[in-house]
Amino acid sequence: MPSLKDLKNRIASVKATQKITKAMQMVAAAKLRRAQEAAEAARPYSQRMSAVLANIAAAAGSDGDAPTLMTGTGKDQTHLLVVCTADRGLCGGFNAQISKAAREHARKLLAEGKTVKIFCVGKKGYDSLRREFASLIVERKELRDVKKIGFEHADEIGRKVISMFEEGEFDVCTLFYSEFVSVISQVPTAQQLIPASVETSEDVSSSAIYEYEPDAGAILADLIPRNISVQIFRALLENVAGEMGAKMSAMDNATRNAGDMINKLTLNYNRQRQAQITKELIEIISGAEAL
Amino acid sequence: MADSFNFELVSPERLLVSSEVVSVSIPATEGEMTVMAQHSPVMTTIKPGIVTVNGVDGKKDQYVVFGGFADILPAGCTLLAESAVHVDDISKDELDSRIEAARNELKDAQHHEHQSKLEEFIYHMTSLKDAVVE
């Protein structure tokens, strides 16, 4: 049985923890709003990009001179998994979900006899994938000290992926990230980056007959790498929003748990105090009676 | 009054401009071009340079863009810039640092194609710098 003093100390410590989790929740809420705004601001670009890409792919694809980034190498022996996770923990199952999806995908590929390479973006994914696939991780990138994710960060990753592709280090590239659905729901998603999956729209009205300057092939060659960076950028932004959402609900839970714990401890404390008072009274009374 | 059309300038980070304009001058790779309403559909890549927007209200706005491409339709024009800044907000230092970064990259560049692309970029950036500093 803990003494009264022990209980008092524990209550104080749980209260301090509750204050911290409460503060973290509020910080996450503020950051979430900003992250959501950033994700929304980036949306027009990626939307237009895919519209233009679909258009141009329909025009250039028929010529059969589409770049290999789009058609692929024709093999699917070596797979590159780009796993985007957060750099910080304390956000519930957010990171674990993404790395679990990546791990299952990697296991499946390995079972099929394929070669797997992993590119970790974010510290947490690296930490958890390292245990099983240490030898497969070819590259890692941390965005820990980046305050606000800009396009240049995504572009850097995109360029690294493309240069690896050009050197023939892999045939298929899949991006793992967490899609932000709502504050309480983030869905781990796998998206194929290379070969680029372009939905060619059947809509005739949108595919007007364009003039291309310089020519369709050259524009496409310029566009596809950029599209990869844009996709990565979008994934990173979704991830930040998802991380903050997950952190917010995790911290909300923690705050509530701390509240429950304080209630329980306080009840215990009061009960013991009462027991002690009763005990002291009995001692005094029985002492007085003995006289 | 001249016909107007919808012009949008988008960078990966945000939508910079979306308004009715009379004409827009774009630094296309094959030479400067001015887009007006009812322009025939053109898709073109863009080199680093200055985009001049002439709004319906006669206001003139200038933006510095660093590469990208433009999607021109009779009904409107969308400019997808790799990065875009209002001309008032750009500083010489920023341009210098971008040129410096490109130069450093040039040193490490392996492919001949990549090298010539970077050289071209540096050339455009330097001429852009001269234009902005004036």
Side-chain angles (χ1 to χ4, degrees), chain B residues 66-80:
Chain B
F66 304 97
F69 60 95
D71 173 19
I72 301 160
L73 284 168
C77 169
T78 311
L79 209 159
L80 297 165

Side-chain angles (χ1 to χ4, degrees), chain B residues 53-87:
Chain B
V53 182
N54 291 309
V56 229
D57 46 3
K59 242 173 60 187
K60 203 166 138 182
D61 251 338
Q62 287 192 314
Y63 294 87
V64 177
V65 293
F66 304 97
F69 60 95
D71 173 19
I72 301 160
L73 284 168
C77 169
T78 311
L79 209 159
L80 297 165
E82 200 152 284
S83 141
V85 196
H86 195 272
V87 82

